Amino acid sequence: MPHPGAGPLSPPGPVGGAPQRLRGGVLGMADIAAATMANVGPAMSFFFGFAFLATTAGVASPLTILAAGVAVALLGNTLAEFSRAHPSAGSFITFVGKTFGPVSAVTTALLAALGYIIAMAGVISISGGFVQITLHHYTGVDLPWIIWTLLLTGLAVVLMLRGVVVSTKWAGYFFGAEMLVLLVVSIAALVEHRGDLSLDPFLPGHISHGFSGLAAGFPLAVYLLIGWENSAALAEETENPRRNVGRAVFSSVAIMTVSYVLFAYATVTGFGYDVTRLGASRIPFIEVAHDTLGALAFLAYLGGLTSTLGVLIAGINSQARLVFNAGREGLLPSFFGYVHPTRRTPNNAIVTFTAAALLIIGGWGLGHLLGSKSGSMNPVVFFTEASTLGAILILLVYLASNVALPLYYRRYRPQEFRLVRHLLLPALGAVAILVPLYYLAKPGQPPPYNWFPYAAIAALLAAVAYATLLVRRDPTLAERVGSIVADAD
């Protein structure tokens, strides 16, 4: 496997030098939209994120979700416009690299890979953690969560290695199951408390501490929607990606935003608009399900389980493809650019991505055992910590993409440049990203969150240094960035 000191990297391929390609045109718009929403993981994200969001934003926390939905829609415009012009499995890596050159491409590849792996480590841990919580609640059995994590992750990897059609379908099935449960519980809660329904959750005056409360909860509200970009990485395997990727992005963001607002309204109403009690609940939505459905609250637990499986499959599927494309184009070691000769799946990227996430979980757990606060690692706490650190790196990639869009269209497609779509909207998207970045990086946060910004800066500097060295050793890299378009022959 080539490394930075081994000389120039070349895109892997069969004899004749042709690059490895994924199986084209096997996914429709509905497939990638379902996979995108499965990657968002509404049940998992809402179960473990809404208590803190309600604590910061107050009764009107649904408004924070609406604001986040608008911000993500602005980012969706950037992704849709890039995908329309240059659809690629490399997604943000390709878009930034085509605009700013090979150093930025390699830097983005490293930041995106690291950010997504760290965030996915949180998802992988919570998959087993939620099984442990469910079994302990109903049976009293308390097997270590890591056992369930390894079993579920292994199942997800097997499905992904069988092919993108199979794994995407299963992710869609799991998403459908969780959405059905979330909708049933939410509607039942609203019917149960119909005499207490109020418009207070939608009135700006009920946001705790005004704009500061809205801004403080905004990063988490944005994180609830992370995964919205899934469809772009599936472009090479999508039918008519120039049209369908954008449609999948916007439909997914719209459906998820409206759904989250409904779930938030039902949860706040179920707690009688008492955000103090809501914030103290371990999983508020589950508590609402117990109060509303009684024994049938088991369905809510089932929705959480299907959600974690859907996120595992859809998230690793799309994010590993970013790593695959970077390896195929020589931005990362060529080992990652291999595809299975029959199934056309990026096996090396999928397995390595998953193994790296598991190693992060192991390292984090070892730190708990050896650190000043010795003890076993709590998967719910780790999910929040890993999500935050991963989100900082991912938001940097989002920011670079918004800055890149107007420059890309002015340079490569000036005849198609439109002031609103290609300048105003990405500028607003960049501003929308700066808000959560500020609140995630501002001083005075408790450990380990206080050192996350420094870790992100260190990762950025190391990525730039590596990228500079690699480009100097391989001047042909500039020609390969974005050279493989999704709908090429």
Side-chain angles (χ1 to χ4, degrees), residues 9-90:
L9 295 171
S10 299
V15 177
Q20 304 256 304
R21 296 194 67 94
L22 303 170
R23 191 179 300 280
V26 293
L27 300 176
M29 197 278 283
D31 295 319
I32 61 174
T36 296
M37 291 184 283
N39 194 7
V40 171
M44 182 197 70
S45 300
F46 191 78
F47 282 8
F48 297 104
F50 185 66
F52 179 74
L53 177 59
T55 301
T56 55
V59 170
S61 50
L63 280 182
T64 308
I65 295 175
L66 277 175
V70 172
V72 171
L74 292 171
L75 303 178
N77 171 74
T78 295
L79 193 65
E81 289 301 310
F82 265 128
S83 296
R84 184 173 65 83
H86 200 97
S88 168

Side-chain angles (χ1 to χ4, degrees), residues 37-45 47 171-184 256 263 285 299 302-311:
M37 291 184 283
N39 194 7
V40 171
M44 182 197 70
S45 300
F47 282 8
Y173 296 151
F174 289 133
F175 167 73
E178 70 177 294
M179 280 296 289
L180 179 61
V181 169
L182 289 166
L183 289 172
V184 168
M256 286 293 91
F263 308 152
F285 193 84
L299 294 174
L302 185 62
L305 292 175
T306 59
S307 181
T308 58
L309 281 169
V311 176

Side-chain angles (χ1 to χ4, degrees), residues 179-234:
M179 280 296 289
L180 179 61
V181 169
L182 289 166
L183 289 172
V184 168
V185 173
S186 296
I187 294 171
L190 292 176
V191 171
E192 177 75 15
H193 298 275
R194 56 189 177 277
D196 302 320
L197 296 182
S198 166
L199 292 178
D200 288 354
F202 302 102
L203 300 178
H206 289 274
I207 296 176
S208 297
H209 310 296
F211 179 78
S212 63
L214 174 68
F218 188 71
L220 182 57
V222 169
Y223 184 77
L224 292 179
L225 292 161
I226 281 187
W228 63 270
E229 68 275 32
N230 175 286
S231 54
L234 299 174

